[in-house]
Amino acid sequence: MEKTEQLSQNSTEYETSRQKNLSEDMKLFYSIFENAPLVMMVVNREGKIENINHTTSEVLGIQKKHSLGLLGGELFSCVNSFEDEGCGKNPNCGDCPVRTIVMHTFRTSKNVYKKEGELTIRVNNQLSKRFYCYGSAEGHECPDFQVWDEVNPRRFLDIHLKNLKSSLFSI
């Protein structure tokens, strides 16, 4: 009987310790998420924003409370979110790098790491093409987590030169 009680007590102590460590891990994760110098967001299966970090708020000029519930294209002011039926319902949305990576992650539960893409957004009523390097991950029973980093100007020029060479050689 004594051995059973000891095992039960050890199990309880282990579970209490595990929950405390999990709580500490979540605090650390949230601190990193909130203070990272990268655009970071949490998106649910409907493609709606559940959380953004400070950098996202700063870069996109939107307060966190006004971003929650928006679709990704609405958050980034994607040109397609202003046309036809809006974000995700426009014929051009099928090729959207944001939508593609989010849907891939949800469909396959596979993380995406350092995927480059471009997105045309509206800034001060003018179109602006942005090049990004992004990643996406889905946790156990949790929404999609995305990290975005705008590609530096040198990489941006390399991409344009490559496209220009491609166009010239195809003539």
Side-chain angles (χ1 to χ4, degrees):
M1 182 82 162
E2 205 171 284
K3 188 172 185 175
T4 304
E5 287 175 9
Q6 183 64 36
L7 288 173
S8 179
Q9 184 178 357
N10 288 347
S11 177
T12 302
E13 288 172 3
Y14 172 78
E15 186 59 29
T16 302
S17 174
R18 193 179 73 76
Q19 287 177 0
K20 182 181 177 191
N21 289 340
L22 183 60
S23 177
E24 292 299 318
D25 288 349
M26 288 304 291
K27 286 178 187 175
L28 177 62
F29 172 78
Y30 184 77
S31 179
I32 292 168
F33 172 82
E34 193 57 41
N35 297 297
L38 299 166
V39 172
M40 299 173 95
M41 70 200 75
V42 177
V43 181
N44 67 23
R45 289 192 175 273
E46 288 78 45
K48 294 185 178 184
I49 305 300
E50 289 194 356
N51 199 358
I52 64 171
N53 69 349
H54 180 76
T55 300
T56 304
S57 181
E58 194 174 84
V59 166
L60 299 178
I62 187 170
Q63 293 178 2
K64 183 183 290 198
K65 66 182 179 183
H66 297 299
S67 71
L68 305 180
L70 292 178
L71 294 168
E74 295 168 337
L75 178 68
F76 281 95
S77 297
C78 171
V79 293
N80 295 317
S81 69
F82 296 101
E83 297 175 7
D84 297 326
E85 295 182 46
C87 181
K89 299 178 181 134
N90 185 308
N92 296 323
C93 293
D95 296 328
C96 174
V98 178
R99 181 178 174 79
T100 302
I101 192 171
V102 170
M103 292 300 119
H104 170 79
T105 302
F106 282 133
R107 194 174 51 254
T108 65
S109 295
K110 291 184 180 175
N111 299 341
V112 176
Y113 178 70
K114 283 191 168 184
K115 176 85 171 159
E116 289 184 352
E118 64 183 69
L119 187 66
T120 303
I121 63 173
R122 194 171 294 201
V123 178
N124 298 324
N125 288 325
Q126 296 199 356
L127 299 183
S128 176
K129 190 174 279 196
R130 302 291 176 99
F131 291 86
Y132 289 94
C133 180
Y134 49 96
S136 180
E138 182 181 21
H140 177 67
E141 295 183 16
C142 77
D144 181 56
F145 175 72
Q146 294 187 16
V147 178
W148 292 69
D149 190 14
E150 194 155 7
V151 173
N152 68 42
R154 170 136 181 138
R155 179 71 179 128
F156 176 80
L157 289 174
D158 288 345
I159 292 168
H160 274 296
L161 285 173
K162 182 179 175 183
N163 290 340
L164 183 60
K165 286 178 185 176
S166 218
S167 296
L168 288 173
F169 288 122
S170 66
I171 296 178

